[in-house]
Amino acid sequence: MDRIFCISAGQLIVKKSDTVINRQNRYLNYGLLSLATELRKSGWNALQIQGLFESPIETVKKCIDFGFCNLSTLPFLISVPSFYAISWVNEFISLIKEINSSVKIIIGGRWVIADRSDLMQSLVPDADIVVPGLADRNITRIVESCLSFEFEKLKIPVSTLKNSLDYNLLYERELYQPSLEVSRGCGMGCSFCQEKNEPLQRLKSSSIIIDEAKSILIDDNLNKMNIYFESSMFIPTRSWVESLKEKREHELLFFDWRSESRVDTINLKLVKHLAEAGLKVLDLGLESASKSQLIRMGKTRNAALYLDRASRLLKECHVNGIFVKINILLFAGETSETISETIEWLMLHRQYIKGVSVGPLIVFGWECNTEDYIKELQSYGASRSHMPTEGVQHINLSDEIDHGKAIDISKEISEEFMTKEDYFYLKSFSYFSRDYRFEDFKNDLTR
């Protein structure tokens, strides 16, 4: 039976260095999997294939293996998760059209397209439909609008239609660490965040989370399967945590999970209960320990209180066996003095930190949409560096620290506060391919 191929675009241009180790990352496009699941519920034969770091021709070959040919009639869905993926998308579409010139191409990508479908159409001229925003409720209608005939759908028993993402639709799903979207939005107003104005939604109920976990988890001989609770701002309540803990114990479903949050939004009194409910890794968006930089970012109005809260949260997590990875952003106006302030703070808390991820500010978005933000950054002493591709603006943080130096500093800080063993643990917990062992990792370090 003909398939709807749901393609998560790969990258010919990469944000991080193109190494053997980085190519082991399998960042799950769970938004696309949500669309594939909706199509499956509507009776369509959907399959998700992720381009990752492969060439477009390799992904095309997989589509052919699963039945794509010059007689195929159903459209392709292509999710564009980053501006870095645009060149990959164009090459992929060209290859698909060579095989079947009549196949329709639907592209989406909430954060890339934003409200400028016209600009995306100009970048990807062979796309037939460009879909802005979220398409969860409309994807079936969009697909059917591409067809000029009635198509025989699959007959799916109602009892199999679950709330969870259907990981059986994901090619090589056993190699991915799964994700569950537990809430959307943030709305805290940090200047660098794409969800700064998106209202925060309530957390998904623990009952639904447990039901989804039961349908997702695999017990096999690969690296242990964990779950990432996807939430731009994770703010659990006592009742939610207690309910999750109770239902995990009732179902004997003792999976470990990970989430991301700000340092000033998790109630310290809940940390012990979160650990008992399975939280094992917490990504904390500290961003900086320089008071002036925190103010510039819009992270807080009281930097001293913010850092004190961060310190207490780190210690509480450490006591309760929760590993913390600190995220640091080198921001506009950065100097050797502000960076030293951050490093000194990290030094004081080294024993409580499992790892540190550091990167310089990069501005993503259409130039017409980012002009005002660039001007704000320039008021702090930053300047434009270069554009590696459309929609990606590298920034010189100050006269003292250009983009290249910021990259070097980021690497030095990460290596200072994260051992190879801890790096592998954090990466394999959520991102590395589940068949990638520590021995493989050590061998790749020498290549």
Side-chain angles (χ1 to χ4, degrees):
M1 186 175 187
D2 212 350
R3 296 178 187 273
I4 296 178
F5 288 96
C6 302
I7 307 297
S8 180
Q11 296 182 15
L12 299 177
I13 303 171
V14 296
K15 178 180 178 181
K16 298 182 178 180
S17 55
D18 188 7
T19 65
V20 175
I21 292 172
N22 281 339
R23 283 177 172 268
Q24 290 297 327
N25 285 314
R26 289 179 177 259
Y27 299 114
L28 175 64
N29 190 330
Y30 65 91
L32 181 61
L33 189 55
S34 174
L35 299 184
T37 301
E38 287 301 315
L39 290 171
R40 174 69 177 177
K41 289 178 181 179
S42 297
W44 297 103
N45 188 16
L47 175 68
Q48 176 166 328
I49 301 176
Q50 303 214 165
L52 302 172
F53 302 102
E54 295 180 338
S55 65
I57 189 63
E58 293 303 315
T59 303
V60 171
K61 288 177 181 177
K62 290 173 183 175
C63 294
I64 293 172
D65 289 342
F66 281 96
F68 175 67
C69 65
N70 60 350
L71 299 178
S72 298
T73 55
L74 296 183
F76 271 68
L77 267 63
I78 303 179
S79 173
V80 188
S82 166
F83 280 100
Y84 290 112
I86 297 296
S87 56
W88 191 99
V89 170
N90 280 318
E91 185 174 332
F92 178 81
I93 293 176
S94 177
L95 292 168
I96 289 295
K97 293 280 189 177
E98 284 181 14
I99 298 171
N100 185 338
S101 60
S102 64
V103 71
K104 299 295 184 182
I105 305 293
I106 305 169
I107 66 171
R110 179 187 181 192
W111 300 119
V112 177
I113 297 171
D115 58 348
R116 297 307 303 265
S117 299
D118 56 330
L119 295 178
M120 178 58 76
Q121 187 73 69
S122 68
L123 280 186
V124 189
D126 289 333
D128 296 286
I129 299 176
V130 177
V131 182
L134 296 170
D136 305 55
R137 298 179 179 178
N138 300 317
I139 191 60
T140 297
R141 178 186 58 79
I142 293 169
V143 164
E144 292 177 351
S145 72
C146 295
L147 303 178
S148 57
F149 54 88
E150 287 293 321
F151 200 94
E152 182 181 354
K153 300 179 186 178
L154 300 171
K155 293 181 173 60
I156 306 174
V158 174
S159 60
T160 67
L161 302 183
K162 302 177 181 179
N163 290 323
S164 61
L165 300 181
D166 189 346
Y167 274 78
N168 293 317
L169 305 180
L170 175 63
Y171 175 72
E172 293 186 331
R173 67 92 97 200
E174 72 280 359
L175 299 182
Y176 290 81
Q177 292 288 2
S179 295
L180 292 181
E181 188 176 42
V182 296
S183 74
R184 289 181 179 177
C186 177
M188 292 295 285
C190 297
S191 64
F192 54 84
C193 178
Q194 290 181 304
E195 289 198 283
K196 61 184 177 182
N197 297 319
E198 294 284 330
L200 178 65
Q201 297 180 357
R202 292 181 61 183
L203 285 172
K204 184 181 291 183
S205 77
S206 59
S207 296
I208 293 176
I209 289 173
I210 292 299
D211 285 343
E212 292 190 38
K214 286 193 291 186
S215 70
I216 288 172
L217 292 172
I218 300 174
D219 183 12
D220 54 21
N221 61 355
L222 301 181
N223 293 335
K224 181 177 180 292
M225 186 171 276
N226 310 298
I227 299 179
Y228 203 116
F229 284 12
E230 299 283 356
S231 174
S232 296
M233 191 164 68
F234 181 58
I235 308 181
T237 63
R238 178 64 180 269
S239 60
W240 183 89
V241 176
E242 290 294 343
S243 178
L244 179 63
K245 174 185 172 184
E246 177 184 325
K247 287 180 171 56
R248 284 176 77 250
E249 293 174 352
H250 181 265
E251 296 288 344
L252 301 179
L253 202 63
F254 299 114
F255 60 89
D256 291 332
W257 54 278
R258 177 176 186 168
S259 195
E260 178 179 10
S261 191
R262 292 169 56 107
V263 301
D264 53 355
T265 55
I266 291 184
N267 187 333
L268 296 178
K269 295 179 180 179
L270 289 183
V271 172
K272 177 178 182 293
H273 304 285
L274 285 165
E276 292 172 346
L279 176 60
K280 194 62 181 177
V281 178
L282 185 61
D283 296 299
L284 282 180
L286 179 74
E287 312 307 350
S288 178
S290 164
K291 296 176 181 178
S292 60
Q293 291 300 91
L294 287 169
I295 299 298
R296 283 174 175 168
M297 292 178 192
K299 287 293 292 185
T300 180
R301 295 180 181 178
N302 188 330
L305 182 62
Y306 176 91
L307 291 173
D308 176 69
R309 176 64 183 269
S311 179
R312 289 187 289 128
L313 178 56
L314 276 177
K315 294 172 184 176
E316 191 67 22
C317 286
H318 179 73
V319 167
N320 287 285
I322 297 174
F323 296 126
V324 174
K325 179 176 76 70
I326 295 287
N327 294 327
I328 298 292
L329 174 68
L330 302 186
F331 193 67
E334 212 76 65
T335 64
S336 56
E337 181 179 351
T338 61
I339 290 174
S340 292
E341 291 173 352
T342 295
I343 293 175
E344 289 171 7
W345 193 92
L346 293 172
M347 286 287 190
L348 288 173
H349 297 84
R350 180 191 288 272
Q351 70 188 93
Y352 311 117
I353 298 171
K354 187 71 169 176
V356 178
S357 178
V358 189
L361 176 69
I362 297 174
V363 177
F364 295 94
W366 306 107
E367 282 192 85
C368 56
N369 289 350
T370 59
E371 288 180 358
D372 290 343
Y373 186 51
I374 294 290
K375 289 178 182 178
E376 178 186 338
L377 300 177
Q378 290 172 335
S379 72
Y380 301 139
S383 62
R384 298 176 188 267
S385 175
H386 65 286
M387 294 182 69
T389 185
E390 179 70 36
V392 180
Q393 179 69 67
H394 287 179
I395 302 295
N396 299 315
L397 302 182
S398 65
D399 291 340
E400 181 182 351
I401 301 176
D402 63 16
H403 178 73
K405 187 173 182 179
I407 292 289
D408 293 338
I409 293 171
S410 298
K411 184 177 179 180
E412 290 169 5
I413 296 174
S414 290
E415 291 179 350
E416 172 64 30
F417 292 97
M418 188 158 46
T419 66
K420 294 179 178 63
E421 291 77 9
D422 287 342
Y423 176 85
F424 179 81
Y425 174 82
L426 291 169
K427 278 289 188 178
S428 63
F429 192 97
S430 301
Y431 304 115
F432 278 159
S433 180
R434 291 185 60 236
D435 61 354
Y436 191 55
R437 308 290 187 177
F438 187 58
E439 289 302 316
D440 302 322
F441 173 73
K442 287 192 295 183
N443 291 334
D444 287 339
L445 285 174
T446 63
R447 295 174 65 176

